[in-house]
Amino acid sequence: MVFFDSSLLNLVAYGIVISTTFYFYLRYRYTFWQRQGCPVPLKPHIIYGHTKEVTKMKTWVGKHYANIYYNTDGYKFVGFYQFQKPKLMLRDLNIIKDVFTKEFSTFPNRGIVFDDKLEPLTGNLLTLEGHRWKVLRNKLTPAFTIGKIKNMIDLIDGRAQEMVRVLEKSAVIGEQVEFKELLARFSTDVISIVAFGFETNSLTNPDAEFRRVGRMLFSTSLETIIRNALNALAPSLIGLLKVRSIKKEYADFFYNVVNDTVKYREENGIQRNDFLDLLMKIKRGQNLASDEDSKSIFDENDGKEDFKFTMDVLAAQCFVWFIGGYETSSVTLTFTFFELAQNLDVQMRAQDEIDSVLSKYDGKLTYEILQEMPYLDMIVSEALRKYPPVPNLTRKAVKPYKLPNSDFTLDKGLQVVIPVYGIHNDPEYWPEPEKFIPERFTEEEKRNRPQYAYLPFGAGPRLCIGMRFGMMQVKVALFRILSTYNISLSKSMKLPMKMNPKTIPANPDGGMFLHITKRKN
């Protein structure tokens, strides 16, 4: 006869009870949307919810949300689960429009978890909420008017011309160029001179410190994985455990750079036509909204204490400009050149337009001259359509919201997701979406298409404040390179069956290699 230790039996029994209880707890969690009266067409996994593929890194997050969007055709909105965290995906463009504009008071925030006391650089326009965001947006809006942006074009054009000079050697010997890295260095030099006020020279020195730090900021680390997991499973633990979103050494680097530069300018009375100069004026209490095209978008007199524009706030805005401008502009340029290398007829038409402008203005480039190149604008718009740098947008409800023409009311505190990448590649709005067709953005085509089918910069009061600057930066780079070089695909380039906006089609090392030859003018 075999005897079992009673303690072992108890342990097994406890394990069965706990696992069974946890199982039914998860099953109950996954009935949240049904209990709310919201459709959930796709069955959730017992552990991952609807995030199994992206959690196992079999797909990227933009494609993940797009898959939910494509597989729920016929619904205006659907519930889904990020692990056990319920979220609502909006599919109907009219509802999306309401969330961004008409119902903005219900959805004023993105729902990004941050702690600007622990990490001052996170207290920026992207993450801030409520009154603090409103005041900061009002203060910064005049810094991004056309008049202010025009003054920065010479700084951008100088870096674009330096990029052309860097390419000269490659064009002479006929070698392929790693455009992904080149354009990242260009964006680094542009943002550093505009937002931080000094030269980084990463175009000529790929190992420059600013480029090294920028490269590390966008690399995947253990801290990033842990933070993303906590954000999905238990966001409250992020603050409790003091999990940082920016590695301390990089945060200190950026803060010290900005602080030292501001101090040097103040002590020496230096003024420049750059973003940092405008921020310093705000910090001194100057109102930039004195220009005719600078108007406040909100009434700040809501009885709350004003948001003080401290050195921490100033540094945070420089930082978000760097991470926003660096990543979005370099990625957009990379994919634009990739498409031009594949579509030589589009490239030639762009070059003809550029040549025409160059002959009129003797090579001089101004903001007004950029506006005389509508086809170049269409090319950039189509690149942003096919490869939106921000593939999904989020908004968080601050009060209950009854979705139009339905019996469903979204509870306060829940987050909605707008699948931008999915909408941008939906054949209902974009026939043959896999094709690169700049003519989608003629004035007539834009009038005939729903406005909210195109959201590369968001919409409503939280529309990307740097949109004009970003478009200018991209078009200046295209202007200078296409006026000098022809771009074609490298023979060693490996193209995937389906494009992925977060994985540059490339050689095995992850670069994006193109062949360039000097144009014969």
Side-chain angles (χ1 to χ4, degrees):
M1 181 178 291
V2 179
F3 294 93
F4 292 96
D5 188 331
S6 60
S7 61
L8 178 60
L9 290 174
N10 288 338
L11 186 61
V12 171
Y14 288 145
I16 293 173
V17 170
I18 291 172
S19 59
T20 303
T21 302
F22 184 61
Y23 173 80
F24 282 104
Y25 165 76
L26 292 179
R27 291 289 298 269
Y28 178 76
R29 289 280 294 177
Y30 288 132
T31 64
F32 174 84
W33 284 124
Q34 286 89 336
R35 287 181 277 121
Q36 299 286 316
C38 176
V40 185
L42 305 180
K43 184 179 179 180
H45 185 277
I46 191 65
I47 300 296
Y48 301 105
H50 293 103
T51 59
K52 181 179 179 180
E53 295 298 308
V54 72
T55 302
K56 292 192 171 185
M57 301 182 73
K58 292 183 178 180
T59 187
W60 62 287
V61 68
K63 184 67 173 178
H64 160 64
Y65 285 126
N67 287 338
I68 296 176
Y69 174 83
Y70 297 141
N71 288 303
T72 53
D73 191 29
Y75 293 89
K76 292 187 175 183
F77 55 88
V78 294
F80 71 100
Y81 298 92
Q82 184 180 353
F83 289 90
Q84 292 81 48
K85 187 177 181 180
K87 292 190 175 185
L88 186 74
M89 177 173 289
L90 303 180
R91 302 187 76 265
D92 182 82
L93 298 187
N94 290 321
I95 298 178
I96 291 172
K97 177 181 178 181
D98 283 354
V99 165
F100 280 136
T101 56
K102 181 181 175 182
E103 296 294 335
F104 178 75
S105 62
T106 304
F107 297 94
N109 306 322
R110 291 191 170 93
I112 299 174
V113 178
F114 71 100
D115 182 354
D116 57 334
K117 290 184 173 59
L118 174 67
E119 300 181 278
L121 295 183
T122 62
N124 54 61
L125 200 61
L126 178 69
T127 58
L128 286 178
E129 301 179 345
H131 177 75
R132 298 171 69 198
W133 171 80
K134 185 188 298 184
V135 174
L136 185 59
R137 177 79 183 208
N138 268 346
K139 290 182 182 298
L140 291 178
T141 295
F144 290 88
T145 57
I146 292 176
K148 300 292 194 308
I149 295 298
K150 285 179 181 178
N151 293 331
M152 300 178 188
I153 192 168
D154 287 343
L155 295 174
I156 300 172
D157 194 28
R159 277 78 216 154
Q161 292 187 52
E162 178 64 27
M163 180 164 56
V164 170
R165 288 190 288 271
V166 168
L167 285 170
E168 181 71 30
K169 180 181 177 182
S170 299
V172 170
I173 63 177
E175 68 180 21
Q176 63 182 12
V177 176
E178 210 286 71
F179 261 67
K180 180 183 176 185
E181 170 63 20
L182 175 76
L183 295 167
R185 283 153 50 196
F186 165 72
S187 294
T188 299
D189 284 355
V190 168
I191 298 302
S192 63
I193 192 67
V194 172
F196 296 90
F198 63 87
E199 300 275 7
T200 53
N201 300 313
S202 63
L203 275 166
T204 53
N205 177 18
D207 296 319
E209 189 172 20
F210 234 73
R211 174 68 187 122
R212 180 186 65 82
V213 172
R215 192 183 293 116
M216 293 303 298
L217 275 172
F218 290 97
S219 64
T220 302
S221 65
L222 179 60
E223 288 177 293
T224 304
I225 294 172
I226 292 174
R227 184 179 174 84
N228 290 339
L230 287 176
N231 187 47
L233 297 170
S236 59
L237 289 179
I238 292 177
L240 184 65
L241 299 176
K242 303 297 183 184
V243 180
R244 301 179 65 92
S245 60
I246 312 164
K247 204 167 184 178
K248 191 174 186 305
E249 66 174 289
Y250 304 140
D252 290 344
F253 169 81
F254 276 99
Y255 188 91
N256 291 334
V257 164
V258 176
N259 188 54
D260 292 347
T261 306
V262 168
K263 185 177 179 181
Y264 179 80
R265 288 193 185 188
E266 289 177 340
E267 291 176 349
N268 294 277
I270 296 173
Q271 290 189 356
R272 301 179 60 174
N273 289 324
D274 59 17
F275 182 56
L276 183 62
D277 190 44
L278 297 174
L279 292 179
M280 290 173 63
K281 290 178 179 178
I282 296 173
K283 183 174 176 290
R284 291 195 296 266
Q286 292 179 240
N287 183 7
L288 301 182
S290 57
D291 297 339
E292 290 183 3
D293 58 353
S294 300
K295 296 181 180 179
S296 175
I297 59 172
F298 297 109
D299 178 13
E300 297 176 17
N301 296 322
D302 54 9
K304 296 182 180 179
E305 182 182 354
D306 195 15
F307 179 31
K308 293 180 175 57
F309 200 91
T310 63
M311 188 63 221
D312 283 356
V313 175
L314 187 152
Q317 309 325 305
C318 287
F319 179 73
V320 77
W321 180 305
F322 179 81
I323 61 172
Y326 165 91
E327 174 76 353
T328 57
S329 295
S330 63
V331 167
T332 298
L333 275 167
T334 299
F335 282 113
T336 303
F337 279 114
F338 170 73
E339 289 291 350
L340 291 173
Q342 290 191 102
N343 300 277
L344 298 182
D345 56 330
V346 174
Q347 182 180 160
M348 290 177 62
R349 182 175 169 184
Q351 289 172 326
D352 288 343
E353 184 179 69
I354 290 169
D355 292 345
S356 175
V357 169
L358 280 170
S359 65
K360 288 170 59 178
Y361 298 101
D362 297 323
K364 174 67 176 175
L365 186 60
T366 66
Y367 187 86
E368 288 77 14
I369 291 173
L370 283 180
Q371 310 317 305
E372 294 187 29
M373 291 182 281
Y375 193 64
L376 193 66
D377 186 82
M378 286 189 276
I379 288 172
V380 178
S381 297
E382 174 68 346
L384 289 168
R385 191 277 305 174
K386 196 173 178 183
Y387 313 108
V390 182
N392 308 291
L393 296 168
T394 59
R395 292 293 185 268
K396 187 176 181 180
V398 296
K399 57 186 176 183
Y401 170 64
K402 185 179 184 301
L403 275 76
N405 302 315
S406 78
D407 296 326
F408 173 66
T409 298
L410 183 73
D411 288 346
K412 173 184 176 181
L414 292 178
Q415 193 178 55
V416 299
V417 174
I418 296 88
V420 175
Y421 178 70
I423 295 170
H424 279 198
N425 287 274
D426 188 339
E428 179 181 349
Y429 310 117
W430 311 94
E432 299 182 289
E434 71 284 354
K435 292 186 177 181
F436 189 81
I437 307 174
E439 289 76 13
R440 300 182 200 270
F441 290 91
T442 62
E443 291 303 318
E444 181 180 2
E445 285 292 319
K446 287 191 288 186
R447 284 194 298 269
N448 293 333
R449 186 171 52 244
Q451 178 185 358
Y452 286 78
Y454 184 65
L455 297 165
F457 299 103
R462 289 202 87 133
L463 176 77
C464 176
I465 197 171
M467 176 179 67
R468 288 194 189 105
F469 179 88
M471 288 291 286
M472 181 172 69
Q473 177 181 338
V474 168
K475 287 193 279 189
V476 168
L478 288 168
F479 177 90
R480 287 303 177 191
I481 289 183
L482 292 178
S483 66
T484 311
Y485 302 110
N486 292 317
I487 313 295
S488 58
L489 291 177
S490 168
K491 292 181 180 179
S492 61
M493 186 102 159
K494 294 185 178 181
L495 303 181
M497 292 298 293
K498 292 185 179 180
M499 286 292 295
N500 177 346
K502 287 298 181 183
T503 304
I504 308 296
N507 282 9
D509 65 0
M512 204 278 282
F513 291 88
L514 298 177
H515 187 75
I516 66 168
T517 54
K518 195 76 175 284
R519 291 184 63 198
K520 297 177 181 179
N521 294 324

